[in-house]
């Protein structure tokens, strides 16, 4: 395998979407509940200072909005509310102080809900729920969602009656989860699910063949992980080269949702990190908008910020996402 050092996997759009602030720049030593994406998408559309951006490509957003809303539908129990928790003790010599993080987590949940932590679970979950914790493993060891924060979330869920076997830590790429330390050894009895695999050696042109990501019929090994009945459609063509297909599973105008979301999870906790992406700040919506579907590379330039929010309007996210916990322990 090639070196798995931090890099952008998609340079074709000239957008450093996984760039991040230098290691020493701490955004806020705390847990941010809630989040948003900021920036100016017009900057990516303009070739010159006075040139107008091209028209926005059509999407199937209206199809999602026609579906009736349920009890937990976004914006959820606490619309528009976010809280911030800060501690000078939680980050020490670059390491997380779990003893300081635990009361921070409790304070954040109680401040958001207005009830004790042990009463708050019932606002979001029941003991039969299958809860997906969507982490951000990008920048492993530096800015990925901290394992210690996920420990606190799992502890809270268990205390509320959710069994470990009904908790799943997930992201789009399986190898990124492993690189960031999300393994069955680190989180026993908790599910660890990547929506897709990707052959890094083939992506870098260092593999002898494509058997690491293509089956004998020429289909991506991860095709079956995506629900072709549930999709985000956008009138944007995808590149047709093998490198793109390796990374994105499909190369049509359809971006399919992972079956994990459409068929298994009943609730989602979104745990992004505080980082920059191109010329914007990336938190809650980016973590899910680009993490829940495949075939996203084609969308970055024409629809970047639209994808971050429009994908969340589809029922498999809109009716299940109950909480955003932004890891702002390091920016």
């Amino acid at each position: 395998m090639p070196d798995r050092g931090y890099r952008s996997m998609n340079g074709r759009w000239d957008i450093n979407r996984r760039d991040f602030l230098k290691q020493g720049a701490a955004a806020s030593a705390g847990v941010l509940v809630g989040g948003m994406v900021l920036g100016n998408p017009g900057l990516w559309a303009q070739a010159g200072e006075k040139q107008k951006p091209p028209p926005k490509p059509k999407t199937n957003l209206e199809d999602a909005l026609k579906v009736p809303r349920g009890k937990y539908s976004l914006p959820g129990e606490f619309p528009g509310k976010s809280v911030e928790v800060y501690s000078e003790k939680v980050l020490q010599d670059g390491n997380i102080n779990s003893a300081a993080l635990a009361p921070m987590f409790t304070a954040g949940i109680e401040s958001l809900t207005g009830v004790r932590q042990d009463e708050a679970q019932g606002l979001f979950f029941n003991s039969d729920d299958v809860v997906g914790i969507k982490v951000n493993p990008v920048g492993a060891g530096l800015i990925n969602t901290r394992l210690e924060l996920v420990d606190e979330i799992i502890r809270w869920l268990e205390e509320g009656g959710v069994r470990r076997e009904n908790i799943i830590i997930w992201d789009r790429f399986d190898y990124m989860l492993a690189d960031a330390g999300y393994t069955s050894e680190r989180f026993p009895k908790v599910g660890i699910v990547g929506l897709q695999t990707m052959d890094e050696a083939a992506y870098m042109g260092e593999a002898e063949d494509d058997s690491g990501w293509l089956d004998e019929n020429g289909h991506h090994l991860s095709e079956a992980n995506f629900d072709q009945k549930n999709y985000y459609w956008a009138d944007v063509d995808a590149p047709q080269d093998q490198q793109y297909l390796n990374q994105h599973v499909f190369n049509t105008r359809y971006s399919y949702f992972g079956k994990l979301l459409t068929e298994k999870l009943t609730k989602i906790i979104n745990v992004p990190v505080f980082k920059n992406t191109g010329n914007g700040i990336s938190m809650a919506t980016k973590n899910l908008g680009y993490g829940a579907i495949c075939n996203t590379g084609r969308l970055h330039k024409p629809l970047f910020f639209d994808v971050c929010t429009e994908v969340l309007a589809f029922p498999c996210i809109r009716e299940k996402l109950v909480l955003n916990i932004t890891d702002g322990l390091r920016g």
Side-chain angles (χ1 to χ4, degrees):
M1 279 291 182
D3 179 18
R4 286 181 172 179
Y6 183 86
R7 66 183 185 276
S8 171
M9 299 303 293
N10 182 18
R12 69 178 70 251
W13 301 122
D14 297 323
I15 298 170
N16 297 320
R17 62 186 175 87
R18 291 181 178 165
D19 284 353
F20 50 86
L21 304 177
K22 293 182 179 179
Q23 181 171 351
S28 62
V31 178
L32 308 174
V33 182
M36 64 185 70
V37 175
L38 305 174
N40 184 355
L43 293 179
W44 287 336
Q46 296 174 4
E49 292 184 2
K50 297 182 180 180
Q51 181 177 344
K52 283 187 176 183
K56 173 189 168 182
K58 293 180 180 180
T59 72
N60 65 330
L61 174 63
E62 291 300 321
D63 292 339
L65 299 180
K66 293 175 183 176
V67 180
R69 302 167 67 84
K71 175 183 177 181
Y72 293 100
S73 187
L74 290 179
E77 293 288 316
F78 304 96
K81 184 175 181 180
S82 63
V83 301
E84 179 181 355
V85 186
Y86 175 84
S87 171
E88 295 181 350
K89 299 178 180 180
V90 73
L91 194 63
Q92 298 180 342
D93 298 323
N95 299 313
I96 302 300
N97 178 2
S98 296
L101 178 59
M104 290 175 66
F105 181 85
T106 298
I109 293 296
E110 293 182 348
S111 178
L112 176 70
T113 63
V115 299
R116 294 198 319 266
Q117 180 184 206
D118 60 346
E119 299 175 332
Q121 295 102 326
L123 298 174
F124 307 106
F125 316 102
N126 62 61
S127 59
D128 295 325
D129 275 320
V130 179
V131 182
I133 302 175
K134 172 60 175 76
V135 298
N136 188 326
V138 176
L142 180 60
I143 62 162
N144 60 274
T145 302
R146 298 291 161 174
L147 309 186
E148 295 85 354
L149 176 54
V150 176
D151 285 334
E152 285 299 309
I153 295 171
I154 292 173
R155 174 195 59 77
W156 180 56
L157 290 172
E158 285 190 283
E159 289 179 356
V162 179
R163 297 183 299 114
R164 290 182 74 90
E165 291 83 357
N166 278 0
I167 300 172
I168 298 174
I169 299 169
W170 68 279
D171 181 60
R172 182 173 162 193
F173 291 103
D174 53 6
Y175 78 91
M176 286 189 177
L177 287 168
D179 284 354
Y182 291 103
T183 65
S184 57
E185 292 77 20
R186 176 61 174 78
F187 295 93
K189 297 184 179 180
V190 172
I192 311 293
V193 176
L195 299 186
Q196 71 167 86
T197 191
M198 173 179 154
D199 188 336
E200 290 184 277
Y203 185 92
M204 302 298 293
E206 299 173 359
E208 294 183 359
D209 55 42
D210 291 324
S211 60
W213 65 278
L214 282 180
D215 65 19
E216 58 185 10
N217 297 315
H219 293 276
H220 198 293
L221 294 173
S222 299
E223 280 192 13
N225 296 343
F226 291 91
D227 187 345
Q228 295 189 46
K229 300 185 300 293
N230 291 277
Y231 52 82
Y232 178 70
W233 178 88
D235 192 14
V236 179
D237 290 324
Q240 298 299 300
D241 57 275
Q242 291 291 87
Q243 188 183 51
Y244 182 91
L245 195 61
N246 178 7
Q247 184 181 359
H248 293 283
V249 187
F250 296 91
N251 55 6
T252 64
R253 296 188 180 187
Y254 293 82
S255 292
Y256 302 109
F257 287 90
K259 287 183 179 178
L260 176 70
L261 284 79
T262 63
E263 298 181 359
K264 188 165 187 177
L265 300 182
T266 61
K267 299 290 174 57
I268 297 171
I269 300 178
N270 186 28
V271 196
V273 296
F274 185 90
K275 66 184 182 70
N276 75 305
T277 177
N279 67 305
I281 298 301
S282 167
M283 287 195 285
T285 56
K286 169 64 163 56
N287 195 46
L288 270 177
Y290 279 87
I293 57 175
C294 63
N295 192 15
T296 59
R298 67 194 177 98
L299 303 172
H300 276 84
K301 187 172 182 178
L303 286 168
F304 186 85
F305 290 102
D306 300 279
V307 171
C308 291
T309 52
E310 290 189 1
V311 169
L312 273 62
F314 286 76
C316 62
I317 297 180
R318 185 188 71 197
E319 306 300 323
K320 300 178 181 182
L321 174 61
V322 292
L323 190 61
N324 296 297
I325 303 175
T326 298
D327 182 346
L329 296 168
R330 168 179 286 149

